[in-house]
């Protein structure tokens, strides 16, 4: 079971499952940080994106972020419009990141690592985290 499912099932107050209105399937999660701040949407378009989400959700201090993080598995959506109102309910989206597509059967560790670093740099540029110790690179 992935980290995001474990967090939601454990009843952490800062995790909310986003479900499709048509069939109630979980298509993503919203994590509300410790204080107010920007809202970032990270959209994955292939099964490898779940590895990126799991890695981000494994960060021990994730609940301390400033703002809101929305993780959406686009390939799990039958109709994007069915979940969009629940994403927009928490306010304006400050940044949207779309993770790269990988058609490989197994997730490429480099792609996962680069995608995680890209998301972390975006958080740092928006002031959601301090960003100390992040590898240099373009935010993307």
């Amino acid at each position: 079971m992935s980290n995001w499912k474990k967090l939601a099932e454990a009843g952490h107050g800062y995790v909310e499952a986003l479900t499709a209105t048509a069939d109630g399937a979980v298509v993503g999660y919203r994590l509300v940080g410790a204080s107010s701040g920007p809202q970032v949407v990270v959209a994955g378009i292939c099964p490898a994106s779940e590895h990126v989400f799991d890695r981000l959700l494994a960060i021990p201090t994730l609940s301390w972020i400033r703002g809101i993080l929305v993780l959406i598995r686009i390939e799990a959506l039958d109709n994007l419009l069915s979940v969009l109102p629940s994403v927009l309910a928490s306010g304006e989206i400050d940044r949207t990141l779309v993770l790269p597509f990988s058609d490989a059967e197994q997730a490429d560790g480099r792609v996962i690592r680069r995608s995680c670093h890209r998301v972390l740099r975006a958080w740092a540029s928006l002031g959601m985290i301090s960003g100390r110790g992040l590898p240099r690179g373009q935010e993307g």
Side-chain angles (χ1 to χ4, degrees):
M1 180 181 296
S2 67
N3 286 331
W4 59 336
K5 292 175 186 170
K6 288 178 189 174
L7 284 172
E9 289 176 0
H12 291 282
Y14 65 96
V15 178
E16 173 190 357
L18 300 175
T19 57
T21 54
D23 60 3
V26 175
V27 295
Y29 289 87
R30 177 185 298 119
L31 292 91
V32 179
S35 59
S36 62
Q39 179 171 217
V40 173
V41 174
V42 180
I45 55 175
C46 67
S49 63
E50 189 164 337
H51 295 286
V52 176
F53 293 167
D54 284 344
R55 201 162 168 179
L56 292 170
L57 292 168
I59 298 171
T61 57
L62 185 63
S63 64
W64 298 353
I65 65 169
R66 293 176 288 279
I68 299 171
L69 169 64
V70 177
L71 305 172
I72 297 180
R73 294 186 53 214
I74 295 175
E75 80 279 1
L77 292 174
D78 286 333
N79 182 356
L80 179 60
L81 296 177
S82 70
V83 77
L84 198 55
S86 61
V87 173
L88 296 174
S90 55
E92 181 179 324
I93 297 171
D94 296 290
R95 182 152 314 152
T96 302
L97 299 169
V98 178
L99 300 176
F101 178 80
S102 174
D103 60 355
E105 297 249 342
Q106 288 190 320
D108 182 352
R110 291 176 307 188
V111 172
I112 293 170
R113 190 170 41 257
R114 277 188 248 163
S115 296
C116 288
H117 290 165
R118 181 176 170 224
V119 172
L120 291 170
R121 282 191 295 274
W123 292 353
S125 73
L126 291 168
M128 296 174 75
I129 61 172
S130 66
R132 292 185 306 268
L134 283 177
R136 292 182 185 231
Q138 291 184 342
E139 178 192 322

